[in-house]
Amino acid sequence: MNLPRTLGELRTSRFSEDILRKRHVKDELRENLVARLRQTGPIFPGIVGYDDSVIPQIVNAILSRHNFILLGLRGQAKSRILRALTTLLDPEMPYIEGCEIHDNPYAPICRRCTEEVAKHGEGTRIAYLAPQQRYVEKLATPDVTIADLIGDIDPIKAARGGHELSSEFTVHYGLLPRANRGIFAINELPDLAGKIQVGLFNIMQEGDVQIKGYPIRLPLDVALVFSANPEDYTARGKIITPLKDRIGSEIRTHYPATVEEGITITNQEAWTQRDGYKLQIPKYVGEVIERIAFVAREDKRIDKRSGISQRLPITCMENVISNAERRAIRNGEELVVPRVGDVYSAMPAMTGKLELEYEGEMRGADNVCRELIRTAIAKTYDEYFTGVNMQQIVTWFDLGGEVKMGDTATTDEIFESLQNIQGLTEKLDRLAIKQKDCPQVQVSGAEFILEGLHAHKRIGRNEERVFRAGEKPARAEKNFEREEPPMRPRRPYN
Ligand SMILES: [Zn+2]
């Protein structure tokens, strides 16, 4: 690359003084966004399900040159969106070489650089930053200090250089000045202490701040973006009013609106492309996994305030594949086909992501999780088999039939025992499974039917994964409904 290396060279390049002086970071974001809007492709590749809701609002915020905040529950791709903003920055940005706060070569704000330019003039050295180097992210916690965020007076620096303590030479810069001419993202903004919010506001508004009583002037050029849980953000007193006032746009994120959108995200994010074994994930397995999140988001026993992260179906999918992989490896099989039963083995990937209400805690995370899976299986089963007469299969079990679908049995063994269940294999065409398909695929499909019947309490299943007659007499099939437990008082928030 032939980029100018001195201030003199820079002047006659495409980074002329005329252009660079006026091009603040928000102008840069805006101009590059305008260019992208003229093209036909997606604005932020890889962000799914926000095309008609969140993305247009973000575009408007950037076109308006606003600082903005994303309000949403966890696992709604907030951080991913904020990081994607770097794709709207120029491929390279010139600054004065060696400057900690990446000073504009034509308008340095730090003392070191003003002296540097005075001394070397047109020979002042120029360096460049790539987009990712211009993105600084901080998770807000109550113990973040002014020193972390804005800076500190460094007495050692002062003693070594023989400077006054109040001199700008003695400042050790914090994260915000280091994000100068870039994007600064603060996650969970309401967790920032009030006086830090004041410091943040002062630097946004006036370009100056006091560090340990010394007034320091720092007219920074930063695009500030934030994220927060909506309830925390709107709670009275959590955000100081002048700061709230300076945040141009509040944009609400949301969970995927449909199971299909959720599946697209999970497929994109989950680690499925593994080496060694051929993997075939049946559609209904993905649907069951995704529905667990949907069912959980509706469940009264789970804390609505913290939500159910999209990471739940993602890690669940990874664990489901691993369980199927483990079975295939142990049984010496080449083809890995996950089953609905593998979802129960993936509970360790889920229980930690469920914040339970009092009632849920009484029930226990494992039990709640098992019930969510069962509901998700029942709903998915209904998508394929509502109105299909399964009486023949149920009767086979009622007459004493049993089949074990454990992890240790080979596919061929299970496949053979499934042939005994009258009426089962012909139901597989509802799942687009044909008789010529591999045994692994057929076994997975048959197991889904049995799990579905079990979820509807039409047949039973014990701990050893033996399907057998249900405890209750067979009754007419109806759509699954979980019994709602009585309401209990909400656990106090602490
Ligand atoms: Zn500087």
Side-chain angles (χ1 to χ4, degrees), residues 16 19 73 79 94 115 216 248-249 335 344 372 381 386 443 468:
S16 69
I19 290 170
L73 303 179
S79 304
E115 293 189 1
I216 305 281
S249 297
L335 180 64
Y344 286 101
L372 294 173
Y381 172 91
T386 294
V443 166
R468 47 160 71 151

Side-chain angles (χ1 to χ4, degrees), residues 95-104 108-114 116 173 180:
Y95 70 101
I96 297 177
E97 193 176 270
C99 178
E100 288 179 273
I101 60 170
H102 311 129
D103 262 329
N104 186 330
I109 57 173
C110 87
R111 185 82 173 270
R112 173 204 170 264
C113 290
T114 39
E116 195 77 0
Y173 292 111
N180 188 30

Side-chain angles (χ1 to χ4, degrees), residues 228-248:
N229 178 302
E231 270 190 50
D232 288 348
Y233 186 72
T234 48
R236 207 175 171 78
K238 284 256 196 172
I239 305 279
I240 61 161
T241 311
L243 180 60
K244 218 172 200 173
D245 209 36
R246 289 287 294 182
I247 298 174

